[in-house]
């Protein structure tokens, strides 16, 4: 947690230095599975996430019937995505976040429609946790889903959204991708921490697209000053099957990053794919190699802190897998479980 221990002796002395011994900063990544508001955003394919009262228009029905996948077609035609539903979705997201005592210091979100709905979460459901205004830059994903930060640490400078550099990609596939959001925050001792929020191309896209995404991320890391602490978090969409076959983490991650979930004992994954009975850490937190791993280092990665955040009853099915958000009467929360990790300054 982001704890500033302000001692009386410093106040009396008028000292401006903030003591940070035993400071902690927690990071969470959370794919909230389609957090949309109830209104249409121009140019975005958000037609499933509208109130049923607006779905009788012939143009809407025609548009929905063109969707090939039956499940998605029925969502577009029949889901009643009204304010009551959004309220319940937001409440359940907040309950998951609050499993981390005092709330994580930095949350990296995926599948947020716009800054307005994220600000509603911050202001109406998390107001007592003292998060600063959210960081979200609108990208080009066809559905309108974006990555975002919610942080208690102050933002330094302006956030930047970087397009992934693909070697070869069709317009249709590129419309189903998100950029990498870069933002820098100030740690309690004014050390700078740069974060990268990611949502890589989905597993049904070719492996080469995720390889390009990893390469873009690593180039962004290399562009930072050599002593800059950094993390990357989000939905990397690398299945365990793909990693085993293509050695994705070994080739693109482990040389430059600590992989947080590798320290999570007895953790099966953050996502479950039923047809293949397969668990994966689609969601990851990566910490740059200049983080230490012991209290002898300035800021260090606490390997023992890594955990799945899945204790809410809305998050788990009767089979023990992530419970996606379903209508007509809302059940579940998200088809991903959040992952959290902590960095520390000072002794264990």
């Amino acid at each position: 947690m982001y704890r500033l221990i302000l001692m009386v002796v410093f106040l009396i002395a008028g000292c401006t230095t903030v003591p940070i011994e035993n400071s902690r900063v927690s990071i969470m990544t959370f794919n909230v599975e389609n957090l949309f508001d109830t209104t249409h955003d121009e140019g975005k394919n958000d037609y499933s996430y509208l109130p049923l009262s607006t779905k009788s228009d012939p143009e809407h029905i025609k548009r929905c019937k063109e969707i090939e996948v039956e499940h998605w077609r029925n969502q577009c035609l029949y889901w009643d995505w009204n304010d009551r539903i959004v309220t319940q979705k937001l409440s359940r997201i907040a309950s998951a976040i609050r499993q981390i005592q005092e709330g994580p210091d930095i949350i990296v979100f995926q599948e947020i429609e716009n800054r307005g709905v994220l600000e509603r979460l911050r202001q109406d459901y998390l107001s007592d946790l003292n998060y600063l205004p959210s960081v979200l830059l609108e990208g080009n994903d066809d559905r309108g889903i974006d990555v975002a930060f919610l942080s208690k640490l102050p933002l330094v400078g302006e956030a930047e959204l970087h397009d992934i550099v693909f070697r070869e990609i069709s317009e249709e596939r590129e419309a189903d991708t998100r950029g990498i959001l870069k933002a820098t925050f100030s740690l309690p001792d004014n050390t700078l921490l740069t974060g990268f929020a990611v949502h890589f191309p989905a597993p049904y896209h070719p492996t080469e697209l995720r390889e390009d995404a990893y390469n873009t991320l690593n180039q962004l890391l290399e562009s930072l000053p050599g002593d800059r602490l950094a993390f990357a978090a989000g939905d990397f969409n690398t299945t365990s099957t793909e990693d085993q076959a293509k050695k994705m983490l070994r080739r693109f991650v482990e040389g430059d990053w600590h992989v947080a979930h590798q320290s999570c004992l007895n953790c099966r994954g953050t996502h479950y794919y039923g047809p293949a009975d397969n668990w994966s850490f689609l969601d990851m937190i990566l910490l740059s190699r200049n983080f230490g791993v012991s209290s002898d280092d300035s800021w260090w990665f606490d390997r023992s802190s890594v955990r799945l955040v899945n204790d809410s009853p809305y998050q788990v099915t009767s089979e023990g897998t992530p419970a996606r958000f379903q209508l007509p009467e809302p059940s579940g929360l998200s088809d991903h479980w959040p992952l959290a990790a902590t960095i520390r300054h000072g002794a264990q």
Side-chain angles (χ1 to χ4, degrees), residues 152-330:
K152 300 180 183 183
L153 303 176
L155 183 68
V156 177
E158 299 290 331
E160 302 171 355
L161 186 63
H162 295 267
D163 291 335
I164 295 171
V165 180
F166 296 108
R167 289 164 289 182
E168 183 176 350
I169 189 172
S170 67
E171 289 185 9
E172 182 180 4
R173 289 191 188 278
E174 191 165 20
D176 189 33
T177 64
R178 283 69 46 189
I180 297 173
L181 181 61
K182 172 187 173 184
T184 297
F185 304 95
S186 180
L187 289 167
D189 63 344
N190 297 322
T191 296
L192 297 184
L193 172 67
T194 296
F196 300 102
V198 311
H199 188 181
F200 283 0
Y204 54 77
H205 291 305
T207 295
E208 288 75 17
L209 300 192
R210 285 176 293 285
E211 291 176 339
D212 292 342
Y214 281 114
N215 282 328
T216 300
L217 172 63
N218 290 336
Q219 289 165 10
L220 290 171
L221 176 66
E222 291 171 6
S223 71
L224 298 176
D227 60 349
R228 177 67 57 82
L229 298 176
F231 72 93
D235 183 354
F236 290 77
N237 267 321
T238 300
T239 66
S240 56
T241 300
E242 181 178 66
D243 186 44
Q244 291 167 7
K246 303 289 187 177
K247 311 300 181 187
M248 300 290 280
L249 297 188
R250 190 181 72 184
R251 292 164 58 209
F252 297 104
V253 177
E254 293 172 356
D256 295 315
W257 305 93
H258 298 290
V259 183
H261 70 261
Q262 291 178 345
S263 301
C264 190
L265 301 178
N266 302 317
C267 292
R268 292 177 292 178
T270 61
H271 183 269
Y272 177 75
Y273 182 59
D277 189 24
N278 178 252
W279 284 93
S280 296
F281 276 96
L282 298 187
D283 312 270
M284 297 193 291
I285 297 173
L286 311 179
L287 297 155
S288 56
R289 284 287 177 181
N290 52 359
F291 274 104
V293 292
S294 75
S295 57
D296 296 333
D297 303 287
S298 179
W299 282 95
W300 54 284
F301 163 40
D302 182 358
R303 295 181 184 274
S304 67
S305 69
V306 183
R307 58 168 289 196
L308 295 172
V309 184
N310 61 351
D311 292 335
S312 165
Y314 297 113
Q315 291 180 274
V316 186
T317 68
S318 58
E319 291 78 28
T321 59
R324 70 183 314 145
F325 194 73
Q326 298 277 21
L327 297 183
E329 282 305 312

